[in-house]
Amino acid sequence: MPYPYEKSYPCRSKWLYVAGYGLLIAGIFLLFCCIPLWAWLALLGVLLMAAGFVLLGISHAWR
């Protein structure tokens, strides 16, 4: 029994999958290349603060 989406999209071209994933990877690469350095440092700061809160919670420092 065919799946319902096969009626709408009968073409199963391997090239379309390759092109779709290629465009997706290219877009992610461009996104990472275009983010300025200060945004990466701000993200690192937020991650370090979150790690600090987790470690303080694990150590029960706020009892």
Side-chain angles (χ1 to χ4, degrees):
M1 179 172 197
Y3 293 107
Y5 64 84
E6 287 181 345
K7 292 178 183 176
S8 299
Y9 304 104
C11 179
R12 288 185 164 217
S13 175
K14 183 179 179 181
W15 294 107
L16 290 177
Y17 288 123
V18 172
Y21 281 117
L23 289 173
L24 183 68
I25 291 170
I28 291 171
F29 179 73
L30 285 175
L31 177 72
F32 284 127
C33 286
C34 293
I35 293 177
L37 180 63
W38 62 265
W40 288 114
L41 292 176
L43 180 63
L44 179 63
V46 169
L47 291 175
L48 288 174
M49 287 189 296
F53 280 122
V54 168
L55 290 176
L56 286 174
I58 290 172
S59 69
H60 301 288
W62 291 324
R63 275 199 245 179

